[in-house]
Amino acid sequence: MAEPGERILVVGPSWVGDMVMAQSLFKTLKGQDPAARIGVVAPAWSRPILERMAEVDEVAALAVGHGEFGWSGRRRLAAGLRGRFDRAIVLPRSWKSALVPFLARIPRRTGFLGEQRYGLLNDRRELDKTVLDQTVKRFVALGLPADEAARGDFAVPRPVLRRDDANLAALQAEHGLGTRPAIAMMPGAEYGPAKQWPLAYFRELAEALVAEGHEVRVLGGPKEAEAGDAIATGLAHVHNLCGKTRLADAVDLLADCRQAVTNDSGLMHVAAAAGTRIQALYGSSSPAYTPPLTEDAVIHYLALDCSPCFQRTCPLGHTNCLNLLTPSRVLRALLST
């Protein structure tokens, strides 16, 4: 259990959705000790998300690209953190992720066993995947005493990202957004096509929603710009915002939407934490493992015999887990609330 005013450094994950789920750990730590000070080692892109979390006191940006070792960058960051924290919690299970707390000489360093990290961690935990069967549970468990974590019956606080109304107003003016009730669409999924609902289905759904009096906002990064065009081109009241907004902007735009239709992606977790009703589309992944952390969600999952396969592309070549998930089904769910 945290000592009053304890200084805790958390080495955060490298994916948008995982970083949102990490807030459940931050909330747990603050619940144990409201005076605790939480710093997060994280990629620079995640700063806008972390700055929307009331529990985070400091962000230590790690200038290392995804998948890079970055020895010199980790060493420089560790030097700047030395003597400033009482313990560290390492969320990723890689060897390199445990380096910064070790090099910073933080006295207590907690994490799951993995990649021969025996020398880097001195509070090593066994990961029982049957008990800690969700990513978010694994994150929260590392902030609890080992015996309590091992039982797996602890509370998991839901992420909540702050909304910036002034920024939202500026975005509405900049992108010519209207006054119709807005529905968000997130067609991307970084992991691969086996998690991506067909673009033709998104477009068919967008056409139906416009006919029902809605505005549609397609959100994503620059990589999804072409997908956004496929959905929005030629359709009134459908805005392709992919690559035109920052990650922090997505929080505000989603908070302003009535609902969000989304693949199992990082933006799905952002939408849930922004308070938006979720229509979650699952194909190769499992809603049991990475569900949206909200009670206001509808899960669309066919649970075929071949699902979940957790593959980037369908090993059977048909992707029926998504192709058989029709736009009419999702439209009915959207209009039923």
Side-chain angles (χ1 to χ4, degrees):
M1 194 68 68
E3 295 296 329
E6 190 177 22
R7 302 167 300 170
I8 306 169
L9 182 71
V10 178
V11 179
S14 299
W15 301 99
V16 174
D18 286 357
M19 192 62 80
V20 173
M21 287 188 282
Q23 190 185 15
S24 296
L25 167 64
F26 308 151
K27 283 178 169 288
T28 298
L29 295 172
K30 286 286 191 176
Q32 293 170 348
D33 175 17
R37 180 172 180 82
I38 299 176
V40 182
V41 173
W45 61 258
S46 65
R47 183 184 293 273
I49 286 290
L50 291 166
E51 289 175 344
R52 296 299 186 95
M53 299 180 183
E55 302 77 18
V56 175
D57 298 292
E58 176 184 353
V59 180
L62 180 60
V64 175
H66 185 70
E68 294 180 11
F69 186 80
W71 167 255
S72 59
R74 294 176 196 277
R75 187 172 55 186
R76 283 194 301 271
L77 180 59
L81 297 173
R82 192 169 298 160
R84 299 183 48 221
F85 291 91
D86 303 304
R87 66 164 161 150
I89 298 172
V90 182
L91 297 185
R93 297 181 64 199
S94 64
W95 188 83
K96 63 186 177 184
S97 64
L99 270 175
V100 168
F102 175 76
L103 294 173
R105 301 175 186 170
I106 296 174
R108 180 181 168 197
R109 304 179 299 277
T110 303
F112 289 117
L113 288 171
E115 291 197 3
Q116 301 299 316
R117 303 195 294 181
Y118 295 100
L120 301 180
L121 301 175
N122 53 19
D123 177 21
R124 297 180 292 274
R125 308 284 183 88
E126 293 277 358
L127 174 56
D128 185 341
K129 294 182 179 181
T130 62
V131 174
L132 302 178
D133 55 350
Q134 295 179 345
T135 299
V136 68
K137 290 182 182 178
R138 297 171 189 180
F139 290 171
V140 171
L142 290 176
L144 300 172
D147 57 346
E148 182 179 349
R151 293 195 301 269
D153 57 354
F154 47 80
V156 176
R158 292 190 180 93
V160 178
L161 298 174
R162 289 181 296 209
R163 168 174 164 168
D164 184 333
D165 288 327
N167 186 50
L168 173 61
L171 290 166
Q172 290 171 325
E174 178 183 354
H175 298 289
L177 303 180
T179 57
R180 288 182 164 211
I183 304 293
M185 289 187 173
M186 286 90 90
E190 188 72 20
Y191 188 72
K195 290 178 70 173
Q196 296 169 358
W197 204 44
L199 292 178
Y201 289 6
F202 274 110
R203 183 176 176 90
E204 181 180 336
L205 183 60
E207 290 173 339
L209 287 169
V210 169
E212 292 285 344
H214 291 278
E215 174 183 87
V216 175
R217 301 171 183 174
V218 187
L219 299 176
K223 293 180 181 178
E224 284 77 54
E226 187 174 340
D229 283 339
I231 297 168
T233 299
L235 296 182
H237 307 293
V238 181
H239 303 269
N240 177 16
L241 303 178
C242 296
K244 300 176 183 177
T245 58
R246 304 165 302 163
L247 188 53
D249 297 335
V251 177
D252 301 323
L253 290 166
L254 286 165
D256 185 53
C257 287
R258 301 287 181 87
Q259 301 190 60
V261 182
T262 175
N263 297 320
D264 176 16
S265 66
L267 283 180
M268 177 187 74
H269 295 286
V270 173
T276 310
R277 180 172 175 79
I278 305 297
Q279 301 285 338
L281 310 166
Y282 282 83
S284 64
S285 58
S286 168
Y289 180 57
T290 52
L293 300 179
T294 174
E295 291 185 350
D296 197 10
V298 178
I299 304 298
H300 299 276
Y301 179 58
L302 298 179
L304 303 181
D305 290 343
C306 55
S307 301
C309 68
F310 298 107
Q311 299 298 310
R312 293 181 183 271
T313 58
C314 176
L316 301 178
H318 53 59
T319 319
N320 281 343
C321 57
L322 290 171
N323 288 331
L324 297 179
L325 187 58
T326 63
S328 60
R329 166 179 166 159
V330 180
L331 180 64
R332 285 194 300 271
L334 282 160
L335 299 181
S336 67
T337 56

